[in-house]
Amino acid sequence: MSTTVTKTRARVDRDAAVRRPAAPPPVAARPRSAVAVVRRVMSGGATLLWTALVVVPIYWLVVTSLRGRTDFTSASPLAPPGQPTLANYRSVLAGDFTTYLLNSVVVTVATVALTVVAALMASFAIVRHGDSRWSRVTFRLFLLGLAIPLQAVIIPVYLLIIRLQLYDSLFAIVLPSVAFALPITVMIMVSFLRDVPRSLFEAMVVDGASDWRMLWSLAAPLARPALVTVAVYDGLQVWNGFLFPLILTQSGDKAVLPLALTLYKGQFGINIPATMAAVVLSTLPMLVVFVLARRQLVAGLTAGFSK
């Protein structure tokens, strides 16, 4: 019995081996073309160059802020500090840095809040009444604001702020900052809201909802990624703004951080490490905001422009 089973298995294995197709011969790997190699090398070189252009200045900024004045003049600029110290940061915080920081926070938050609310309402009206002639004209006027350079209208803005008796106040920085942030904000919000299905608005109209109800209950929640995107973008622009604080304010207690950094140059003389410490401290708030909102920021940059 066992001999018969063994012969049967051997016959089945032999028949299967006959029916099994032969394995194809291995294909020799095609050599990379010279063009592909050059492209890969150029791509890697461009990436390294971009990384160096971004990372090296930040590294130099942080390293310099940790040096003493003697170490700064004697050591190599990119070498690690021989004796790291936080004396520069203590020197900055002991001055009026907190006042400048608070002024920047007030100006940035007020500008972003007013800009986002105004842009959301304007964008909703433009999208909901897109067939109207006045809606199209209004949108074109907002787009026209993108072509107006800030430096070209600084004198009329200055005279207007004087007439309104707002000179040398934080509100004098907020108003023109909102005006120049609205065009790009409205453009982004309109592009996003146009991708919202009209059936959702029509369903709320059938339920008896007013335009205000649709704005705050439908458009605002759906536009959250775009709102975060424009808020972060406008916040960065206002936080780093220099021209409006320079022209529209005068008192030291009304100075914001970008303008205050010029004051530190005179205050510390040639103490460049202390000035670099002030720069590092001034970038930390917006860096924290960017890290916390990075996911919403990426979603807002990719959503609304897919069609």
Side-chain angles (χ1 to χ4, degrees), residues 10-133:
R11 188 181 305 109
V12 171
D13 293 339
R14 185 171 58 256
D15 295 341
V18 171
R19 290 194 300 267
R20 186 181 302 119
V27 179
R30 297 178 60 184
R32 293 182 180 179
S33 63
V35 176
V37 174
V38 171
R39 287 180 178 177
R40 183 179 294 272
V41 172
M42 292 181 62
S43 177
T47 302
L48 292 176
L49 178 61
W50 181 86
T51 304
L53 292 176
V54 173
V55 173
V56 171
I58 297 176
Y59 169 79
W60 177 83
L61 180 68
V62 175
V63 167
T64 304
S65 66
L66 297 175
R67 297 182 186 274
R69 300 179 67 176
T70 304
D71 190 15
F72 172 74
T73 56
S74 60
S76 174
L78 297 180
Q83 297 179 349
T85 178
L86 297 177
N88 300 315
Y89 291 92
R90 289 193 293 266
S91 177
V92 171
L93 294 175
D96 297 329
F97 181 83
T98 54
T99 301
Y100 306 143
L101 176 63
L102 180 61
N103 291 340
S104 289
V105 170
V106 171
V107 170
T108 302
V109 171
T111 301
V112 170
L114 292 176
T115 302
V116 169
V117 172
L120 177 61
M121 293 189 293
S123 303
F124 177 79
I126 292 172
V127 173
R128 283 289 296 147
H129 307 284
D131 299 332
S132 172
R133 176 183 177 185

